[in-house]
Structures are given as C-alpha cells and as structure tokens.
Amino acid sequence: MKPGREKKERKKKEKRLDVKGNTLGSKKLSTKLGIICGIVLFVCMMGSNLLSISRFTNGLNLAMNAQFNKISEENVLKIQTVLDQCEQISATVDFELQRLFAVQAGGVGEGTITSRVNGMLTPDQKEAEDIILNAIWSALDSNDNLEGVGVFLEPYTFSPNIQHYGPYAVRTDVAARTLENFTYDRYETRPYYVDTKGGYMSFMDAYIDTNGTLMYSIGVPIQYNGQFKGIVLLDIRSDIFSMLDTVDENYPSMYIDLVRSNHNIIYSTHTDTIGSNLKEIITEKGYTELSNRFNGTAAFHTETKEADGTYVHYASPIQVGNEQWWVKTSLPEKEYSAAVISIRMITLVVAVLSVLVIGALVMAALKKMLNPLTDLEKAANTMAAGSLNVNIDYESEDEIGSLAACMRTMMERVRNIIDD
C-alpha cells in the first residue's frame, strides 16, 4: 500500500475510534448506567404494558360483545311482548268461539234475536257475539297502537244460517259501539287471511293507510278440531315497535332493524328503510354475509363493508308464526372501536410517561450515588499533578468508600516515603 494511502486509512481509523469513544466511552459512569438502565427499563416496561394493553383490549371487546348481545336479547323480549299482547287480544275471541262451536256441534235452531252484525241469532250465538264485539271495542279502547280489530270467519261458520260474518271496528267506532260487517269476498284473497290459513300467526309488511299512517296487519288463526274457521285481524300502527328506539350517547349512530324471513325490514330506527329489503340498502357482499347468517338459528355478530365504511352487526332470532325474524343491532365499526382505541391510547401514554418518570428517577439516584467518584477523580488528578495535600473524607463502607480508603492509605505512604 502506498504511504499516502496508508496515512489516509490510519486517519480514518483514528476518526472512527474517536467517534465510537465519544458516543458512550466519554460519558460519565452515572450517565452510562442511567442510559443502560433506562433502555432496559423502557424495553421491559413497554413489553409488559403492551401485553397488559392487549389483554385488557381483549377483555374490553368481550365486554362490548356481551353488551350488544344483551341489547339484542332485550329487544327480542320487547318484540315477544308485542306479539304476546296481540295473541292475548285474540285469545278472548278464540275462547268464546271455541265454546260456541262446541255448543253448535249438537245442532243449531232457528235464530230469534237480531244480530248487531248480520242475521238472526240463537241465545248462545248472541251471547258469543256480545263477548266478541266487546272484546274488539275494549282492545281498541285500551291500546293506542291498535287502529282496527276484526273477526273474519269462513262462510256459515258463526251460524249455519249466516253466510257472511266479519265484524270489523276502528278506533272511531269505540265511543258509539259501531262496526262494519265485511263480506267474505272482501277478505278471502287478502294475504293476511290466506297466509293465516296455515295455522300460524301471519304478519304483513308495512303499508301506508288512507290517513297516511304506517301500519301492519296481523292475522291470528281460529281453529276448531284442527279445521280453519277464520282469523282475528289486528291493524297496528308502527309505533307499537317504538320501544326499539334505543338511544346510547356512547354510540349515537347505532340503529336497530327488525328483519323478517324474506329479509324485508318490518321496523327500523332508521325509519326511511322500513318496508325495504336488506339487499336494497346494503352492498351485495354485505347482503350475502348477513343472509347466510340468517339461515342459522343462533344469535351472531359479524361485520360488513358498506359504501360509507365498515359496520358491526349483532343479531338475535325470534320466532313469529312459522317465520324466523331477526332483531339486528348495527353501528359503524369506527364508533364501535372508538372506546377501545381511546382506552388503548390513554393506557399507552400513561405507560410511556411512567417509564420516563421512573427512568429520570433512576438516573437521578445513580448520579447521586456515583457523585463521590467525581471527588475521587479530582483528588487523583491533584495527586497526579504532584500535590499530596488532598483531603478525601468519603467514609462509606461501599465500593467507593473502599477506593477512598485505599487512596488515603496510598497518599499516607507516599508522604512517609518523601519524609524518609
């Protein structure tokens, strides 16, 4: 190698050694120990805190799952209460008709009492009619969500002498105790009548009545000895499901859908979607995901990606007649995760601040503990300069104290040698 080049390489090597020495080698011992301890402490504590945050987040997610599953289950109970109320209204009518059918099984005489609905009635038929009509008016009077109640029977069912028997009353009929008799051809082909012939409660999709009110029609079957005899019809305002309008300030965008087996939305806290089908308001992929889950029978939660972001859904099933409905609670994923992210960030910031504070305290303690070394360094420099007039008064029994004692002994011996 040429002398000039060798000289350059030697200077570069010396420069690297100097830089390396200045990074940590030139630092004071207290600073070195502080930096090392700080790094070790930071790594250990951050690892521990991240593990704790992860476990805490998992626990929080489980708690939130339980919370939303509970909301869905509570809404199922609310819907079941509504359905039970509808069945209770029809129970009085059904019970009285069952009694009448049993009486008429032994034969029916000529009617001598004028019916308030149609034709002439026997005393038994008149008694049954009075109970049925009073049940209709009482139901309308006691339930603000009921707009109309009717009892629609097959021809010649109420009496062998009466073809059409279909008393129907609306809210304005209650005070005057009036009603209208529907002829068989007015309801025989209506979905609420045809669908109920299967022996199960039928529930029609939402519609707007002549007054502009959002309504539902429910048909409850009347059977005797396994034979279909007619239905009890309930025309109900959509407000009957208003108990689903759950408000939570932590989740302002949360909404609830009541979805029937054909995926039509019976009711929603997003009222503009009532009557729509799920496939009309969500993406095809999201609809496929939900409809596949709706084919099961167990409560579930899942996520779907929509045009405005990802949504989290919790759904619980409820049996309505021969259909399986779903009560679905939904909210944006970013709103769902906001609480978890917030707590995670707060925990992380607290962890970092804790590490910094503890690191500062450790460095301060080390500096205080190693401060006597500075005095010993000054004493050694004074001795190296030729002066033995040095006072070392550190008397501790630790390693630094032993070093101070050795220096005092050394100076004493040097003085003795000089004196000799």
Side-chain angles (χ1 to χ4, degrees):
M1 184 179 291
K2 294 181 179 181
R5 182 165 184 160
E6 183 178 353
K7 187 175 181 182
K8 278 185 182 179
E9 291 295 328
R10 186 167 61 252
K11 286 184 177 181
K12 286 182 180 179
K13 185 175 181 181
E14 289 174 354
K15 187 175 181 181
R16 286 198 298 269
L17 289 173
D18 182 62
V19 170
K20 184 177 179 182
N22 285 335
T23 56
L24 193 60
S26 62
K27 302 291 183 183
K28 290 188 176 181
L29 185 58
S30 60
T31 304
K32 291 180 183 179
L33 290 176
I35 292 172
I36 294 172
C37 289
I39 293 173
V40 173
L41 180 65
F42 181 83
V43 171
C44 292
M45 288 197 67
M46 286 306 298
S48 175
N49 285 327
L50 289 175
L51 180 62
S52 298
I53 291 172
S54 176
R55 296 184 64 180
F56 178 78
T57 301
N58 290 336
L60 186 59
N61 284 329
L62 290 175
M64 292 179 68
N65 285 339
Q67 176 188 359
F68 283 101
N69 282 328
K70 184 179 179 182
I71 290 175
S72 291
E73 291 170 0
E74 288 176 348
N75 286 331
V76 165
L77 293 177
K78 292 175 183 178
I79 299 300
Q80 190 60 57
T81 299
V82 171
L83 299 175
D84 290 344
Q85 289 174 353
C86 294
E87 291 184 336
Q88 287 171 6
I89 292 171
S90 65
T92 302
V93 174
D94 184 73
F95 178 81
E96 191 56 32
L97 286 174
Q98 297 294 323
R99 184 195 67 79
L100 178 63
F101 296 152
V103 170
Q104 293 186 155
V108 181
E110 289 293 327
T112 58
I113 306 172
T114 302
S115 168
R116 297 190 67 173
V117 180
N118 187 26
M120 303 298 290
L121 306 178
T122 65
D124 286 328
Q125 293 167 349
K126 178 59 177 172
E127 180 183 355
E129 179 180 87
D130 290 341
I131 293 174
I132 291 170
L133 298 185
N134 284 328
I136 291 174
W137 292 318
S138 296
L140 288 167
D141 191 42
S142 61
N143 194 320
D144 293 337
N145 291 312
L146 272 177
E147 285 297 317
V149 179
V151 178
F152 298 157
L153 301 179
E154 291 283 281
Y156 303 107
T157 294
F158 189 77
S159 171
N161 302 317
I162 300 174
Q163 180 181 4
H164 303 292
Y165 196 88
Y168 179 81
V170 295
R171 182 167 299 281
T172 54
D173 292 325
V174 175
R177 290 297 194 263
T178 55
L179 51 83
E180 181 182 2
N181 181 41
F182 277 34
T183 56
Y184 185 66
D185 58 351
R186 288 186 62 179
Y187 56 78
E188 65 173 322
T189 59
R190 294 296 184 90
Y192 59 75
Y193 195 79
V194 175
D195 292 353
T196 312
K197 283 187 175 182
Y200 297 97
M201 174 189 287
S202 66
F203 203 105
M204 301 300 102
D205 288 331
Y207 64 94
I208 305 294
D209 70 0
T210 55
N211 297 320
T213 304
L214 189 64
M215 301 285 295
Y216 308 104
S217 290
I218 300 176
V220 182
I222 299 170
Q223 293 180 306
Y224 181 72
N225 290 338
Q227 293 184 344
F228 177 76
K229 296 294 185 180
I231 71 168
V232 176
L233 175 70
L234 305 172
D235 287 332
I236 303 175
R237 297 165 59 94
S238 64
D239 293 346
I240 198 167
F241 294 126
S242 60
M243 81 288 287
L244 296 178
D245 297 346
T246 304
V247 177
D248 192 321
E249 61 182 11
N250 295 318
Y251 310 105
S253 301
M254 181 176 70
Y255 64 95
I256 298 170
D257 292 333
L258 180 58
V259 185
R260 64 184 309 173
S261 59
N262 61 3
H263 303 157
N264 283 348
I265 298 175
I266 288 289
Y267 183 82
S268 176
T269 51
H270 284 177
T271 54
D272 57 332
T273 64
I274 295 176
S276 302
N277 192 282
L278 273 178
K279 67 169 62 175
E280 300 171 356
I281 58 177
I282 62 177
T283 61
E284 182 178 354
K285 187 176 181 181
Y287 174 73
T288 301
E289 168 65 18
L290 284 175
S291 59
N292 287 338
R293 301 300 293 269
F294 286 160
N295 289 332
T297 57
F300 68 88
H301 81 272
T302 188
E303 294 184 1
T304 62
K305 291 185 177 180
E306 306 302 328
D308 57 343
T310 301
Y311 281 76
V312 180
H313 309 278
Y314 287 82
S316 295
I318 179 172
Q319 195 67 29
V320 181
N322 63 343
E323 289 188 69
Q324 180 173 269
W325 291 6
W326 292 88
V327 180
K328 180 174 68 69
T329 304
S330 307
L331 71 160
E333 192 275 337
K334 60 182 180 181
E335 195 170 288
Y336 173 85
S337 303
V340 176
I341 294 174
S342 175
I343 293 176
R344 185 185 298 167
M345 291 303 298
I346 291 173
T347 306
L348 187 61
V349 169
V350 170
V352 171
L353 291 176
S354 299
V355 170
L356 294 176
V357 171
I358 293 174
L361 292 175
V362 169
M363 289 190 69
L366 286 172
K367 186 175 182 180
K368 183 176 181 180
M369 292 172 61
L370 297 177
N371 193 50
L373 287 177
T374 302
D375 296 335
L376 294 179
E377 180 187 10
K378 292 178 180 178
N381 289 331
T382 302
M383 292 172 59
S387 174
L388 296 179
N389 188 21
V390 179
N391 182 27
I392 301 175
D393 58 359
Y394 188 79
E395 301 293 341
S396 176
E397 295 182 359
D398 57 17
E399 289 82 352
I400 298 176
S402 298
L403 177 60
C406 290
M407 290 182 68
R408 283 194 295 269
T409 302
M410 182 181 66
M411 285 188 298
E412 184 64 28
R413 288 179 178 177
V414 170
R415 290 192 190 99
N416 292 335
I417 291 173
I418 292 175
D419 290 342
D420 292 341

